[in-house]
């Protein structure tokens, strides 16, 4: 609880700053080991009696891997609440509705109670199945086993212990981060060098740029850049290939074709941006078109300017909708084999490890938790309806969507490490249901979206317990406690910053606490909540994205047909239509630099090394994945607090530190000038 509180509190505090800093659960995993060993050696072996309940042993013996695993999954669950944190900031700072800390604690608890019950009921489907490996938890398991194993090593013949290999790889990653982030930062974005030759050339910036460009040369020597999408050493080759194919088709082929032909006047805007623009090609001032209670004023809207969206942002929205329809069709197609049969066979399955936490009594407890959560949600919505502006009907529909989406999204992530972003579907529904009401849209998104995101984290924690053989009932209880504790910590720290730092989230904020990520989330809600029905509805400027529902469905139907025609084909049975559609949806924040360098790393380790030296790969690959992440995490903390936060890095400037931020790549120069964009006839 102490580790989780400190790390979650620090993460929450510095999430307001740009650039933000996140410590992450992997740091807790490392710090917990020496603390656990020290506890076992120092703390007296006292027993605290609890009457008929039993007793608590302060020091039950040697610190072991199961205790370590429970610490990690508790901490990981507590710190994974960024979405709820953003909601609180948007409500209080940008929408200027002071809802108080207590209400947001209640709001967070609602999501956690429903998610915990949902994850518990899904254990037979998502956890107690060997074929669903959840690759992202494997490196954490490997690290814990390495820490608790022997340390004898022999460097000369590569019979080094896993712990010894971890130490060497960790040190290398730690040292190299100082080079790639501080000393020679240009090597992180080296693929952009053609745009550095002519920094004012817009086309070079758009093609080879890595900030507002396509990143056509994926050359990077920075691990945090390479692992932006996920840890490539943990990603199966088939999944990475599908995701990269999606990116190549949609971003390197379709996107430039639309942009350079100036479809929807996008050539007047940056190629890759998540901002919204007015008819002059400058940042859209939302305050000019809203009423005092943040509803759209059509007269002001017409007098000021319509909304223009960059092509990268439009494609991101469209791929999200296509990914939803393709995912749901495949889910219903495979419902019997992927959901119903595993659930029915669980009680009689000899290899099931979570039977003690899947009894009829526990199933009733999970249902009761969901019922209590839903009830508290009604209390939140109806008790403060004036502030939240969402009705009970909107709330319950959002919850239902979140519950329905959980299984199909989890089934994809459990096999590929890739998380589908379903925000687009929530936003589409809210945009047409709650037209011109951005605060309502905000809550409609976050009630349902938070539920299946929290349920994913709970399920990942349960799978880690599956691998580490932690007692099932203790595991689910620890996960429950983590959800409640997270609600208290995150909401309280966020509220403290909002109410005690008067200039936070403004350009005058001290220490750069400008809330850039929260402002991006706010802009997204403005697009959908205020303008969604006008932009994407019938006759709207960007209504083409609605056709991607049909595109996604069509892709799934083709794949299903090929599976029926070629039942023995491994290719067609492994391919994921949802990844083909949504694999590229991390744009515009991720570019070709991130996708390409990530794919190269996947092929290098999980194909070439795995094929040519499988013994090395089986022994060290997971350890290397964990060591690289750990080295970057620890180094980032030290660099930030010792160099960046103190202002030391401001005095270290030369070509290699400034070239990335100079020129059209960073400025987002458009292909055409930013003069007033023409308004087509009948635009309004």
């Amino acid at each position: 609880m102490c580790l989780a509180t400190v790390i979650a509190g620090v993460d929450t505090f510095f999430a307001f700053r740009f650039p933000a800093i996140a410590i992450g659960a992997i740091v807790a995993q490392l710090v917990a080991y020496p603390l656990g060993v020290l506890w076992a050696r120092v703390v007296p072996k006292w027993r605290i009696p609890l009457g008929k309940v039993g007793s608590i042993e302060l020091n039950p013996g040697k610190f072991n891997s199961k205790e370590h695993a429970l610490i990690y999954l508790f901490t990981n669950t507590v710190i994974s609440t960024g979405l709820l944190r953003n909601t609180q900031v948007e409500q209080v700072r940008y929408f200027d509705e002071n809802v108080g800390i207590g209400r947001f604690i209640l709001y967070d608890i609602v999501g956690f109670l429903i998610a915990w019950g949902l994850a518990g009921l899904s254990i037979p489907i998502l956890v107690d199945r060997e074929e669903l490996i959840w690759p992202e938890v494997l490196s954490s398991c490997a690290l814990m086993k390495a820490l608790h194993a022997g340390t004898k090593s022999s460097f000369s013949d590569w019979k080094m212990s896993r712990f010894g290999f971890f130490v060497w790889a960790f040190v290398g990653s730690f040292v190299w981060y100082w080079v790639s982030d501080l000393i020679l930062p240009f090597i992180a974005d080296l693929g952009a060098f053609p745009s550095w030759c002519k920094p004012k050339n817009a086309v070079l910036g758009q093609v080879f740029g890595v900030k507002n460009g396509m990143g056509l040369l994926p050359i990077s020597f920075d691990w945090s850049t390479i692992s932006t999408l996920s840890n490539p050493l943990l990603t199966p080759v088939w999944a990475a290939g599908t995701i990269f194919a999606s990116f190549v088709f949609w971003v390197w082929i379709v996107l430039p074709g639309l942009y350079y032909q100036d479809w929807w006047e996008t050539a007047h805007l940056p190629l890759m941006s998540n901002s919204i623009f007015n008819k002059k090609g400058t940042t859209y001032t939302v305050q000019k078109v809203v009423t005092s209670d943040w509803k759209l004023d059509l007269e002001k809207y017409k007098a000021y300017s319509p909304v223009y969206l960059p092509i990268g942002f439009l494609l991101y929205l469209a791929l999200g909708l296509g990914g939803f329809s393709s995912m749901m069709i495949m889910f219903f197609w495979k419902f019997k084999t992927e959901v119903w049969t595993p659930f029915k066979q669980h009680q009689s399955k000899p290899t099931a490890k979570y039977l003690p936490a899947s009894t009829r009594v526990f199933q009733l407890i999970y249902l009761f938790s969901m019922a209590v959560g839903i009830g508290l949600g009604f209390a939140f919505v109806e008790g403060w309806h004036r502030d939240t502006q969402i009705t009970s009907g909107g709330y319950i529909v959002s919850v239902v969507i979140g519950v329905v989406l959980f299984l199909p999204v989890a089934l994809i992530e459990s096999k590929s490490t890739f998380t589908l972003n379903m925000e687009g579907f929530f936003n589409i529904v809210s945009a047409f249901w709650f037209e011109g009401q951005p605060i309502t849209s905000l809550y409609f998104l976050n009630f349902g979206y938070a539920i299946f995101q929290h349920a994913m984290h709970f399920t990942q924690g349960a799978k880690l317990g599956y691998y580490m053989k932690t007692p099932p009932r203790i595991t689910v209880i620890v996960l429950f406690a983590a959800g409640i504790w997270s609600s208290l910590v995150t909401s309280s720290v966020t509220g403290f910053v909002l109410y005690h730092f008067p200039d936070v989230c403004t350009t005058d904020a001290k220490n750069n606490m400008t809330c850039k990520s929260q402002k991006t989330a706010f802009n997204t809600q403005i697009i959908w909540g205020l303008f969604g029905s006008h932009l994407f509805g019938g006759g709207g400027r960007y209504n083409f994205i609605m056709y991607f529902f049909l595109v996604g469905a069509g892709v799934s139907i083709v794949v299903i047909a090929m599976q029926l025609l070629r039942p023995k084909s491994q290719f067609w049975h492994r391919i994921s239509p949802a990844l083909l559609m949504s694999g590229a949806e991390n744009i515009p924040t991720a570019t070709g630099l991130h996708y390409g360098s990530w794919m190269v790393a996947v092929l290098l380790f999980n194909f070439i090394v795995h094929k040519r030296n499988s013994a090395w790969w089986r022994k060290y690959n997971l350890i290397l994945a964990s060591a690289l992440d750990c080295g970057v995490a620890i180094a980032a903390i030290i660099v930030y607090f010792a160099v960046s936060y103190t202002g030391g890095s401001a005095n270290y400037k030369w070509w290699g530190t400034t070239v990335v931020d100079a020129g059209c790549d960073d400025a987002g120069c458009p292909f055409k000038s930013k003069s007033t964009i023409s308004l087509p006839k009948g635009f309004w």
Side-chain angles (χ1 to χ4, degrees), residues 346-576:
H346 182 252
Q347 297 300 325
S348 59
K349 190 176 180 181
T351 57
K353 297 180 181 179
Y354 269 86
L355 284 177
S358 300
T359 61
R360 184 61 59 86
V361 173
F362 264 83
Q363 289 176 356
L364 291 175
I365 292 174
Y366 298 141
L367 288 172
F368 179 73
S369 175
M370 294 181 69
V372 172
I374 292 172
L376 291 177
F378 279 116
F380 177 86
V381 171
E382 292 300 327
W384 295 283
H385 176 74
R386 184 176 173 182
D387 292 336
T388 60
Q389 294 186 1
I390 187 170
T391 62
S392 294
Y395 157 68
I396 199 64
V397 170
S398 176
V399 170
V400 170
I401 294 175
V403 171
V404 170
L405 286 179
F406 168 59
L407 276 179
V409 173
L411 285 169
I412 292 174
E413 183 173 352
S414 66
K415 301 173 184 177
S416 67
T417 76
F418 191 81
T419 303
L420 296 181
N421 187 341
M422 290 290 108
E423 288 188 38
F425 182 73
F426 284 99
N427 287 326
I428 280 286
V429 176
S430 64
F432 290 98
W433 189 359
F434 305 106
E435 185 176 343
Q437 301 178 50
I439 300 180
T440 307
S441 179
L442 171 72
Y443 278 96
F444 185 86
L445 163 68
N446 290 336
F447 265 121
Y449 190 76
I451 287 170
F452 85 79
Q453 282 291 302
H454 294 326
M456 295 277 278
H457 288 114
F458 286 139
T459 306
Q460 285 179 344
K463 191 65 177 184
L464 185 140
Y466 175 95
Y467 287 131
M468 299 303 296
K469 298 181 173 60
T470 57
R473 292 183 177 181
I474 292 179
T475 303
V476 297
I477 291 172
V478 167
L479 288 170
F480 177 85
I484 302 302
W485 191 246
S486 176
S487 303
L488 300 174
V489 173
T490 305
S491 299
S492 299
V493 175
T494 303
F496 174 81
V497 175
L498 289 172
Y499 299 132
H500 291 82
F501 290 74
D503 294 325
V504 70
C505 299
T506 68
T507 54
D508 298 326
K510 295 181 179 179
N511 297 318
N512 291 327
M513 297 184 74
T514 55
C515 308
K516 186 171 183 178
S517 63
Q518 292 86 349
K519 185 64 178 291
T520 300
F522 170 72
N523 283 340
T524 302
Q525 291 310 309
I526 290 299
I527 292 172
W528 289 102
L530 279 181
F531 311 117
S533 59
H534 298 278
L535 297 177
F536 309 113
R541 186 175 184 79
Y542 304 118
N543 64 352
F544 76 93
I545 74 168
M546 305 302 288
Y547 290 102
F548 271 73
F549 279 119
L550 298 177
V551 174
V555 171
S556 287
I557 291 171
V558 169
V559 171
I560 291 172
M562 295 305 299
Q563 290 177 354
L564 292 174
L565 292 172
R566 298 185 178 182
K568 295 182 180 180
S569 172
Q570 290 294 318
F571 173 81
W572 288 107
H573 280 275
R574 278 197 167 190
I575 198 167
S576 170

Side-chain angles (χ1 to χ4, degrees), residues 91-391:
Q91 175 80 75
V92 175
R93 186 57 61 185
Y94 294 118
F95 288 117
D96 197 25
E97 291 280 358
N98 187 358
V99 295
I101 295 175
R103 285 186 242 176
F104 261 97
I105 291 176
L106 173 61
Y107 170 72
D108 292 358
I109 288 177
V110 167
F112 279 115
L113 287 176
I114 300 173
W116 181 78
L118 181 61
L121 292 173
S122 304
I123 283 175
I125 303 167
L126 298 174
V127 179
D128 254 342
R129 293 170 62 188
E130 295 176 357
E131 65 270 25
L132 299 184
I133 60 177
W134 289 90
E136 281 204 28
V137 308
L138 294 177
S139 63
S140 301
C141 296
L143 175 56
M144 280 182 282
K145 291 182 177 180
L147 291 172
H148 292 272
T151 58
K152 294 181 179 180
S153 63
S154 173
F155 189 86
S156 59
D157 58 0
W158 285 103
K159 292 182 180 179
M160 177 182 294
S161 69
R162 288 181 173 88
F163 178 79
F165 183 85
F166 171 81
V167 172
W168 282 101
F170 169 81
V171 171
S173 176
F174 177 87
V175 173
W176 183 250
Y177 183 81
W178 287 78
V179 177
S180 64
D181 183 74
L182 185 64
I183 301 173
L184 305 173
F186 72 93
I187 64 175
D189 303 321
L190 196 57
F193 75 87
S195 66
W196 302 342
C197 299
K198 291 186 176 181
K200 294 184 179 181
N201 188 299
V203 176
L204 280 178
Q206 292 153 9
V207 175
F208 297 102
V210 298
K211 290 189 173 183
N212 287 284
M214 292 185 290
L216 199 60
L217 291 179
I219 305 172
S220 177
F221 296 97
D222 173 64
W223 180 249
S224 61
T225 300
I226 296 171
S227 60
T228 296
L229 302 179
S230 67
N231 191 315
L233 277 65
L234 305 177
T235 307
V237 175
W238 69 266
T242 307
I243 293 167
F244 188 64
S246 171
F247 178 83
V248 170
F249 177 76
W250 293 112
V251 180
W252 281 353
I253 297 176
V254 174
L255 184 143
L258 296 173
Y259 183 73
Y260 290 114
Q261 292 187 46
D262 198 20
W263 280 80
W264 309 287
E265 283 75 42
T266 53
H268 296 270
L269 308 174
L271 180 71
M272 291 280 207
S273 174
N274 56 8
S275 298
I276 60 177
F277 298 89
N278 59 30
K279 61 186 178 182
K280 294 183 179 181
T282 57
T283 302
Y284 200 95
T285 306
V286 177
Q287 287 78 1
K288 292 185 177 181
V289 298
V290 296
T291 61
S292 58
D293 58 349
W294 281 94
K295 293 183 179 180
L296 182 64
D297 187 319
L298 283 176
E299 295 303 319
K300 292 181 179 179
Y301 179 49
K302 292 180 180 181
Y304 173 51
S305 171
V307 173
Y308 288 86
L309 302 180
I311 190 64
F313 198 6
L314 284 171
L315 195 59
Y316 153 75
L317 297 173
L319 293 179
L321 302 184
F324 167 79
S325 60
S326 61
M327 176 189 71
M328 295 308 297
I329 286 180
M330 291 301 295
F331 175 71
F332 290 124
W333 171 250
K334 295 187 175 182
F335 182 82
K336 182 178 180 181
T337 57
E338 293 279 7
V339 179
W340 185 249
T341 301
F343 186 80
K344 294 293 289 183
Q345 295 178 346
H346 182 252
Q347 297 300 325
S348 59
K349 190 176 180 181
T351 57
K353 297 180 181 179
Y354 269 86
L355 284 177
S358 300
T359 61
R360 184 61 59 86
V361 173
F362 264 83
Q363 289 176 356
L364 291 175
I365 292 174
Y366 298 141
L367 288 172
F368 179 73
S369 175
M370 294 181 69
V372 172
I374 292 172
L376 291 177
F378 279 116
F380 177 86
V381 171
E382 292 300 327
W384 295 283
H385 176 74
R386 184 176 173 182
D387 292 336
T388 60
Q389 294 186 1
I390 187 170
T391 62

Side-chain angles (χ1 to χ4, degrees), residues 619-665:
K619 186 173 184 179
Y620 296 125
N621 187 67
L622 294 178
I623 294 298
L624 179 61
S626 183
L628 292 172
D629 283 345
C630 286
V632 168
I634 300 297
I637 297 169
I638 296 176
V639 169
Y640 179 83
F641 285 108
V643 182
S644 301
Y645 190 68
T646 59
S649 59
N651 301 318
Y652 175 69
K653 289 185 178 180
W654 63 291
W655 176 87
T657 62
T658 59
V659 66
V660 177
D661 299 323
C664 276
D665 180 25

